[in-house]
Amino acid sequence: MKIFAEIQDVLLTFEQREHNGTKLLYLDREPLDYEFLTLGNNRFSLILNQASTLLQIVQENDLYHIHIEGEYFAIRVEDEHMRALRELVAHSAVTQGEHTIRAPIPGLISRILVAEGQKIDAGDPLIILEAMKMENEIRSENEGTIKNVLVDEGKPVDKDQPLLIIAPESDVK
Amino acid sequence: MFKKILIANRGEIALRIARTCREMGVRTVAVYSDLDRKSPHVYFADEAYPLGGKTSLDTYLAQSKLIDICRQSGAQAVHPGYGFLAENSEFAAKMEEAGITFIGPPADAIALMGSKTAARQRMISAGVPVVPGTDRPMPEEEAKKYSEEIGFPVLIKAAAGGGGKGMRRVDKSGEFRAAYQSAQREAAAAFGDSQVYIEKFLEQPRHIEFQILADNSGLVIHLGERECSIQRRHQKIIEEAPSSLLDADLRERMGQAAVKAAEACGYRNAGTIEFLVDEHRNFYFLEMNTRLQVEHPVTEMVTGLDLVREQLLIAAGESMTLQKSVPCFIGHAVECRIYAENPDNNFAPSPGMIHHIRQPGGPGIREDSGIAAGNEITLFYDPMISKLCAWAPDRLGAINRMIRALGEYELQGIHSTIPFLIRVLEHPRFRSGDFTTKFIAEEPGLFRKDHAKLKIAALAAVILQQREKERTKFSSSSNDYTSKWKIINRREILD
């Protein structure tokens, strides 16, 4: 069975095969010779072909947050069944034109730079969110029209709180 | 020497000050907000008093509460650390009025240097070179006109500012208005004063500062420079001593200018003179920081001094350890500031609970942090969580040691800037010493990841996922697959 590890734009494909009741992992057709020990406190020791590494891993559903020698990766793992299922679901879902801009971090709405009904281009600044005494500009990823403004200036917002709803150009007449 | 002092700060700097106090036999009084009850600075101190409240304004900036706690606890002096009230002349004056020693400069020196425009005027009359710019705060229209005259790019800076807050670069007229107003808002929020002024923006400068010490007899010495050119959004992230740019001659001239600057404002205690150095090695006074700097440990490592100890000696009217400026350094030191920010997501703040922390050790390493497992990083205070310093006989040795130590740092629960710092330290341009304050903006490669580590990390994730699957194999979750498959199959047929 194939198992996929996805990190941003990189996809690594592992394969699990069974030999005499023992499950082995392969990467690029090479069998992997490793020892993986749990140390506690989310710390793990991996020895791969005698190369020794300490990892800290925090799991969040199918996402693995991994700290390894000062580097950090967020890795999504799924096997071929899970992947096929997800692709089908994504394919069959009705694509909604609207999308919601959410607060990437908790903070204070310092300024709202757009108004309802306003047309925007990709890259346009939408909202200034103040957090930890710094101003952070939230920009639009797509073009469209501001359908709803859901927050007020001067008010605090939580992480992932909806801020704006953007409709694709054609939707708003 | 004082018997007991109050530390009017939190986090790593409060702990760092308390450590020196303990070594000197001075008892410490900690103060804490509601959110900081479990912080190391509280349990390390000899006494601890609640400030009641969460926001900075209600706690570490609440002057009357701090004065009351001084009286209650019998603290003879207050150390303000950096940030919060460290550069508030009103607070320093109130302390002196209350008969409590302020461990820092006299209130009038803070006030003078706190006004960036007044400081510029004083430096000009003392013969210290300054960056071309306005000599006073200016309203928007006038400031815009002035900028057009001296030519873009310019910097809009908070008159009461420091630390990069309320500062905006403007490249052309059309951008002026938005930048001016944004700088004003940030200045008002950070300093309670929205006034801003204009400075010519130097295109390829280095940011080099000199540590000075001044005692009560009027003696001013300097302890050499710190190289602070590695900055992101005007925030220093890596500092070192000495600077790879300075030779003995330039160090001598800048050191003398720094001493002159401190003398010109009647300075006392520890302070820092910041300079910009252009590509022709001309240097300009930028500002004076009238407090202990975040990056003071690198100076401590190459001089062997304890700057907090020197501050206490001076404030208590005793003599400083050294009576003349430091002619040369011992080895090389590097400091990295570790922030609770996510470098993969444009350095967005990363608040959260620290689940696990284990600081690095080994030869030549010093770590100053004020957090422990179980502490929460909130949006109420500064996102800097730790300062890591490395010392070695030479610059590359110190850099390599720092990379080693950053790799050892264990921190779970929040994002940190550690991966980014390692890439800066590994960069050939940084290693060669050939960089300016624009280094990070100029090097997009700093955001690339290490692929060898990625493979190992991916393998670990896959192993864990497989183990998890084995564990849940016989539980009800396996039925979920079937049902979802059925749903999709039905939908496909309908389509």
Side-chain angles (χ1 to χ4, degrees):
Chain A
M1 183 175 57
K2 284 188 175 133
I3 305 155
F4 306 100
E6 199 178 335
I7 312 103
Q8 285 171 345
D9 48 353
V10 182
L11 182 74
L12 293 177
T13 307
F14 291 82
E15 200 171 355
Q16 192 199 63
R17 287 184 217 156
E18 226 173 290
H19 285 277
N20 311 324
T22 314
K23 282 173 181 164
L24 288 178
L25 274 176
Y26 290 74
L27 179 64
D28 300 329
R29 292 198 189 84
E30 294 288 323
L32 298 168
D33 175 21
Y34 64 84
E35 187 185 38
F36 189 71
L37 280 187
T38 304
L39 303 174
N41 273 349
N42 297 324
R43 296 159 85 240
F44 300 86
S45 169
L46 175 68
I47 298 177
L48 172 67
N49 300 327
Q50 274 63 58
S52 169
T53 315
L54 174 74
L55 302 105
Q56 303 169 71
I57 308 178
V58 180
Q59 191 184 346
E60 190 188 316
N61 301 320
D62 58 346
L63 192 65
Y64 294 80
H65 300 279
I66 301 193
H67 294 270
I68 165 172
E69 289 165 2
E71 189 57 274
Y72 163 81
F73 301 100
I75 302 181
R76 198 170 293 283
V77 179
E78 53 185 7
D79 57 36
E80 53 191 280
H81 301 312
M82 294 160 72
R83 168 166 272 239
L85 179 71
R86 187 175 55 77
E87 279 170 358
L88 271 176
V89 169
H91 185 67
S92 58
V94 182
T95 22
Q96 293 274 341
E98 283 177 13
H99 71 279
T100 307
I101 304 282
R102 291 171 187 276
I105 45 170
L108 194 76
I109 301 296
S110 163
R111 277 216 300 160
I112 299 170
L113 305 168
V114 289
E116 286 179 11
Q118 186 179 329
K119 282 187 178 173
I120 47 153
D121 288 325
D124 278 359
L126 304 172
I127 276 181
I128 293 177
L129 183 67
E130 191 186 309
M132 287 176 170
K133 296 186 200 159
M134 298 291 281
E135 290 196 344
N136 301 277
E137 204 172 53
I138 298 173
R139 288 170 179 271
S140 176
E141 283 179 17
N142 311 93
E143 60 173 19
T145 304
I146 304 293
K147 195 179 171 210
N148 297 107
V149 176
L150 306 168
V151 288
D152 296 315
E153 284 188 3
K155 295 278 166 61
V157 290
D158 292 328
K159 184 176 177 352
D160 292 329
Q161 183 173 332
L163 306 176
L164 299 168
I165 295 176
I166 297 179
E169 201 107 17
S170 57
D171 268 28
V172 182
K173 297 277 153 47
Chain B
M1 184 43 61
F2 308 111
K3 290 200 165 54
K4 188 192 282 187
I5 72 163
L6 181 142
I7 301 166
N9 215 305
R10 64 181 297 280
E12 71 87 12
I13 193 61
L15 183 59
R16 187 261 166 275
I17 294 162
R19 280 174 165 157
T20 290
C21 290
R22 175 133 323 146
E23 292 169 17
M24 294 175 77
V26 176
R27 285 179 66 80
T28 52
V29 179
V31 290
Y32 58 93
S33 70
D34 294 350
L35 300 170
D36 282 342
R37 173 61 188 87
K38 290 197 254 175
S39 295
H41 85 268
V42 177
Y43 53 74
F44 185 87
D46 295 308
E47 297 173 25
Y49 289 76
L51 288 163
K54 285 182 180 175
T55 64
S56 298
L57 218 53
D58 287 341
T59 57
Y60 302 102
L61 289 172
Q63 303 187 18
S64 53
K65 288 183 186 175
L66 291 164
I67 291 173
D68 287 348
I69 295 169
C70 281
R71 292 221 174 90
Q72 241 179 298
S73 63
Q76 298 159 286
V78 166
H79 196 306
Y82 55 73
F84 296 122
L85 294 167
E87 290 176 285
N88 185 315
S89 58
E90 185 201 343
F91 179 65
K94 271 191 200 163
M95 281 292 154
E96 297 296 337
E97 274 165 36
I100 299 155
T101 304
F102 180 78
I103 301 172
D108 54 353
I110 301 176
L112 177 74
M113 288 304 181
S115 163
K116 301 303 162 196
T117 46
R120 281 169 61 84
Q121 286 167 357
R122 182 68 63 95
M123 290 306 115
I124 293 165
S125 52
V128 178
V130 301
V131 182
T134 64
D135 52 7
R136 62 191 164 82
M138 268 187 187
E140 188 185 322
E141 276 311 306
E142 194 187 352
K144 189 178 170 192
K145 226 177 120 199
Y146 177 86
S147 304
E148 283 160 356
E149 276 166 28
I150 63 166
F152 291 98
V154 299
L155 271 185
I156 301 171
K157 297 178 78 172
K165 304 265 161 64
M167 180 145 71
R168 288 289 180 281
R169 177 191 167 157
V170 188
D171 291 316
K172 46 181 186 273
S173 263
E175 296 169 353
F176 194 86
R177 188 185 185 94
Y180 187 94
Q181 290 175 358
S182 163
Q184 273 194 322
R185 275 195 308 277
E186 208 172 278
F191 314 111
D193 177 355
S194 68
Q195 291 194 97
V196 295
Y197 70 103
I198 307 295
E199 246 178 42
K200 176 79 185 150
F201 182 78
L202 296 180
E203 291 276 7
Q204 293 284 347
R206 289 181 65 136
H207 181 127
I208 294 172
E209 62 186 28
F210 273 71
Q211 176 70 51
I212 62 106
L213 288 177
D215 72 6
N216 297 296
S217 71
L219 173 67
V220 181
I221 64 170
H222 76 79
L223 302 179
E225 81 278 11
R226 289 185 288 262
E227 165 69 66
C228 307
S229 298
I230 301 297
Q231 303 182 356
R232 221 197 115 257
R233 284 174 74 171
H234 306 297
Q235 300 268 12
K236 299 167 190 169
I237 59 168
I238 297 177
E239 300 100 340
E240 44 182 328
S243 166
S244 52
L245 185 75
L246 301 203
D247 53 24
D249 170 61
L250 187 53
R251 178 170 298 120
E252 173 68 20
R253 285 190 291 128
M254 289 178 74
Q256 278 180 10
V259 167
K260 206 154 64 173
E263 284 170 348
C265 66
Y267 204 78
R268 206 165 61 220
N269 215 291
T272 294
I273 315 288
E274 296 190 338
F275 294 103
L276 288 181
V277 184
D278 70 15
E279 62 266 47
H280 310 296
R281 296 159 69 88
N282 297 311
F283 62 90
Y284 306 96
F285 170 84
L286 185 64
E287 60 184 41
M288 178 165 191
N289 295 306
T290 55
R291 53 167 156 86
L292 189 68
Q293 295 277 92
V294 172
E295 59 273 26
H296 75 275
V298 291
T299 298
E300 296 185 325
M301 288 180 118
V302 294
T303 60
L305 292 174
D306 175 338
L307 292 185
V308 172
R309 181 184 157 85
E310 297 303 315
Q311 286 193 294
L312 263 69
L313 289 172
I314 294 166
E318 297 177 23
S319 41
M320 315 188 268
T321 305
L322 297 180
Q323 297 298 311
K324 60 177 201 271
S325 295
V326 174
C328 65
F329 295 117
I330 315 150
H332 195 99
V334 182
E335 175 185 273
C336 283
R337 299 190 189 189
I338 299 171
Y339 287 90
E341 294 174 342
N342 183 358
D344 292 341
N345 183 18
N346 197 27
F347 295 86
S350 176
M353 179 71 78
I354 307 278
H355 295 303
H356 165 76
I357 181 168
R358 185 170 176 272
Q359 290 97 347
I365 294 301
R366 166 175 172 179
E367 202 269 350
D368 288 77
S369 65
I371 50 168
N375 287 170
E376 196 175 342
I377 304 298
T378 72
L379 293 167
F380 284 89
Y381 313 116
D382 195 271
M384 194 185 75
I385 47 174
S386 169
K387 302 186 316 203
L388 191 61
C389 291
W391 180 93
D394 59 63
R395 183 168 184 268
L396 281 182
I399 293 170
N400 292 338
R401 195 165 257 180
M402 178 61 87
I403 296 170
R404 183 270 291 169
L406 284 168
E408 264 182 58
Y409 212 117
E410 296 178 21
L411 183 59
Q412 291 171 22
I414 55 165
H415 286 280
S416 85
T417 49
I418 288 174
F420 182 75
L421 290 164
I422 292 175
R423 288 193 287 272
V424 173
L425 296 165
E426 284 174 342
H427 198 285
R429 255 186 82 199
F430 176 78
R431 298 175 77 85
S432 74
D434 169 32
F435 52 81
T436 69
T437 52
K438 295 176 78 181
F439 175 74
I440 286 170
E442 286 168 348
E443 297 292 347
L446 291 171
F447 293 86
R448 260 173 238 134
K449 299 220 168 222
D450 182 333
H451 269 247
K453 287 179 189 166
L454 186 151
K455 211 167 107 176
I456 296 170
L459 171 62
V462 167
I463 296 167
L464 265 187
Q465 191 259 2
Q466 290 296 301
R467 284 193 184 171
E468 185 73 11
K469 223 171 113 187
E470 286 290 311
R471 228 158 40 81
T472 55
K473 206 172 184 176
F474 303 106
S475 72
S476 61
S477 68
S478 56
N479 288 331
D480 288 347
Y481 284 113
T482 335
S483 56
K484 273 181 196 159
W485 275 107
K486 277 179 187 159
I487 293 164
I488 286 160
N489 281 332
R490 280 190 206 120
R491 201 177 280 163
E492 290 261 290
I493 295 161
L494 287 173
D495 280 347

